Short mmCIF file of all heavy atoms in Angstrom, two decimals:
data_model
loop_
_atom_site.label_atom_id
_atom_site.label_comp_id
_atom_site.label_asym_id
_atom_site.label_seq_id
_atom_site.Cartn_x
_atom_site.Cartn_y
_atom_site.Cartn_z
N LEU A 563 -17.33 -43.35 -17.82
CA LEU A 563 -16.85 -43.94 -16.50
C LEU A 563 -17.19 -43.10 -15.32
O LEU A 563 -16.83 -43.37 -14.25
CB LEU A 563 -15.38 -44.30 -16.56
CG LEU A 563 -15.06 -45.37 -17.65
CD1 LEU A 563 -13.53 -45.51 -17.60
CD2 LEU A 563 -15.69 -46.63 -17.41
N LYS A 564 -17.77 -41.90 -15.52
CA LYS A 564 -17.86 -40.92 -14.46
C LYS A 564 -18.64 -41.37 -13.19
O LYS A 564 -18.25 -41.13 -12.15
CB LYS A 564 -18.45 -39.55 -14.98
CG LYS A 564 -19.95 -39.61 -15.38
CD LYS A 564 -20.43 -38.23 -15.81
CE LYS A 564 -21.86 -38.31 -16.30
NZ LYS A 564 -22.28 -37.01 -16.87
N LEU A 571 -13.88 -43.05 -6.18
CA LEU A 571 -13.17 -41.86 -5.49
C LEU A 571 -13.69 -41.66 -4.10
O LEU A 571 -13.00 -41.43 -3.13
CB LEU A 571 -13.47 -40.56 -6.37
CG LEU A 571 -12.52 -40.30 -7.47
CD1 LEU A 571 -13.03 -39.10 -8.25
CD2 LEU A 571 -11.13 -40.14 -7.04
N LYS A 574 -12.07 -44.36 -2.01
CA LYS A 574 -10.69 -44.04 -1.82
C LYS A 574 -10.58 -42.93 -0.76
O LYS A 574 -9.65 -42.98 0.17
CB LYS A 574 -10.04 -43.48 -3.08
CG LYS A 574 -9.66 -44.57 -4.03
CD LYS A 574 -8.85 -44.01 -5.21
CE LYS A 574 -8.51 -45.13 -6.27
NZ LYS A 574 -7.69 -44.52 -7.30
N GLN A 586 -3.08 -32.46 10.62
CA GLN A 586 -3.38 -32.04 9.27
C GLN A 586 -2.76 -30.69 8.99
O GLN A 586 -2.91 -29.72 9.84
CB GLN A 586 -4.89 -31.98 9.00
CG GLN A 586 -5.53 -33.40 9.17
CD GLN A 586 -5.06 -34.31 7.93
OE1 GLN A 586 -4.49 -33.84 7.01
NE2 GLN A 586 -5.40 -35.51 8.07
N ILE A 603 -15.38 -16.79 -19.60
CA ILE A 603 -16.83 -17.05 -19.78
C ILE A 603 -16.82 -18.21 -20.79
O ILE A 603 -16.26 -18.19 -21.93
CB ILE A 603 -17.56 -15.84 -20.33
CG1 ILE A 603 -17.51 -14.73 -19.25
CG2 ILE A 603 -18.99 -16.22 -20.57
CD1 ILE A 603 -18.26 -13.46 -19.60
N ASP A 616 -18.15 -23.13 -6.97
CA ASP A 616 -18.90 -24.47 -6.74
C ASP A 616 -17.87 -25.51 -6.29
O ASP A 616 -18.19 -26.32 -5.37
CB ASP A 616 -19.60 -24.92 -8.02
CG ASP A 616 -20.76 -24.02 -8.27
OD1 ASP A 616 -21.24 -23.36 -7.41
OD2 ASP A 616 -21.26 -24.11 -9.46
N LEU A 646 -5.91 -9.49 -4.97
CA LEU A 646 -4.92 -10.53 -4.94
C LEU A 646 -4.07 -10.41 -3.70
O LEU A 646 -3.67 -11.45 -3.17
CB LEU A 646 -4.12 -10.47 -6.14
CG LEU A 646 -4.81 -10.71 -7.50
CD1 LEU A 646 -3.77 -10.61 -8.65
CD2 LEU A 646 -5.52 -12.08 -7.55
N ASP A 670 -8.45 -19.02 -27.59
CA ASP A 670 -9.18 -18.66 -28.92
C ASP A 670 -9.22 -19.87 -29.71
O ASP A 670 -9.95 -19.98 -30.70
CB ASP A 670 -8.25 -17.58 -29.54
CG ASP A 670 -8.39 -16.20 -28.90
OD1 ASP A 670 -9.43 -15.98 -28.28
OD2 ASP A 670 -7.51 -15.36 -29.10
N GLN A 685 12.43 -18.85 -7.09
CA GLN A 685 13.03 -19.95 -6.32
C GLN A 685 13.11 -19.54 -4.73
O GLN A 685 13.90 -18.67 -4.45
CB GLN A 685 14.40 -20.35 -6.82
CG GLN A 685 14.37 -20.93 -8.16
CD GLN A 685 13.61 -22.23 -8.18
OE1 GLN A 685 13.80 -23.15 -7.42
NE2 GLN A 685 12.62 -22.34 -9.03
N VAL A 693 6.30 -27.75 -6.38
CA VAL A 693 6.39 -28.51 -7.66
C VAL A 693 5.94 -29.97 -7.42
O VAL A 693 5.12 -30.49 -8.19
CB VAL A 693 7.79 -28.51 -8.20
CG1 VAL A 693 7.96 -29.45 -9.45
CG2 VAL A 693 8.08 -27.12 -8.68
N LYS A 701 -1.39 -35.42 -11.42
CA LYS A 701 -1.53 -36.91 -11.62
C LYS A 701 -2.91 -37.38 -11.13
O LYS A 701 -3.43 -38.28 -11.81
CB LYS A 701 -0.35 -37.59 -10.89
CG LYS A 701 -0.34 -39.02 -10.98
CD LYS A 701 0.77 -39.65 -10.23
CE LYS A 701 0.84 -41.16 -10.27
NZ LYS A 701 1.88 -41.68 -9.51
N ARG A 723 3.68 -15.71 -6.37
CA ARG A 723 4.94 -14.99 -6.09
C ARG A 723 4.88 -14.42 -4.53
O ARG A 723 5.92 -14.42 -3.98
CB ARG A 723 4.94 -13.67 -7.01
CG ARG A 723 6.23 -12.89 -6.86
CD ARG A 723 6.20 -11.78 -7.95
NE ARG A 723 5.31 -10.75 -7.71
CZ ARG A 723 4.25 -10.53 -8.51
NH1 ARG A 723 4.09 -11.24 -9.63
NH2 ARG A 723 3.43 -9.57 -8.33
N HIS A 728 6.35 -18.26 2.04
CA HIS A 728 5.62 -18.62 3.32
C HIS A 728 5.06 -20.02 3.38
O HIS A 728 4.97 -20.56 4.39
CB HIS A 728 4.60 -17.65 3.58
CG HIS A 728 5.08 -16.15 3.56
ND1 HIS A 728 5.46 -15.48 4.73
CD2 HIS A 728 5.20 -15.28 2.53
CE1 HIS A 728 5.88 -14.31 4.42
NE2 HIS A 728 5.74 -14.10 3.11
N SER A 740 -13.63 -22.83 -23.12
CA SER A 740 -13.70 -22.54 -24.58
C SER A 740 -13.78 -23.83 -25.32
O SER A 740 -13.89 -23.82 -26.55
CB SER A 740 -12.51 -21.74 -25.03
OG SER A 740 -11.33 -22.23 -24.56
N TYR A 747 -18.49 -30.88 -19.57
CA TYR A 747 -18.14 -31.74 -18.46
C TYR A 747 -18.31 -30.95 -17.15
O TYR A 747 -18.82 -31.51 -16.20
CB TYR A 747 -16.84 -32.24 -18.65
CG TYR A 747 -16.35 -33.31 -17.62
CD1 TYR A 747 -16.75 -34.67 -17.82
CD2 TYR A 747 -15.71 -32.93 -16.57
CE1 TYR A 747 -16.31 -35.57 -16.78
CE2 TYR A 747 -15.24 -33.88 -15.63
CZ TYR A 747 -15.53 -35.24 -15.70
OH TYR A 747 -15.26 -36.12 -14.77
N SER A 764 -5.62 -35.40 -3.44
CA SER A 764 -4.23 -35.14 -3.76
C SER A 764 -3.49 -34.25 -2.79
O SER A 764 -2.16 -34.03 -2.94
CB SER A 764 -4.25 -34.48 -5.21
OG SER A 764 -4.94 -33.19 -5.12
N ILE A 765 -4.22 -33.48 -1.93
CA ILE A 765 -3.59 -32.57 -0.92
C ILE A 765 -3.57 -33.04 0.45
O ILE A 765 -3.12 -32.32 1.38
CB ILE A 765 -4.20 -31.16 -1.07
CG1 ILE A 765 -5.72 -31.22 -0.55
CG2 ILE A 765 -4.14 -30.46 -2.45
CD1 ILE A 765 -6.39 -29.80 -0.58
#
Side-chain angles (χ1 to χ4, degrees):
L563 299 177
K564 66 182 180 182
L571 278 174
K574 284 186 179 182
Q586 295 294 350
I603 298 178
D616 288 344
L646 297 180
D670 291 335
Q685 292 298 307
V693 173
K701 179 181 178 181
R723 185 175 68 245
H728 302 271
S740 49
Y747 185 87
S764 60
I765 64 178

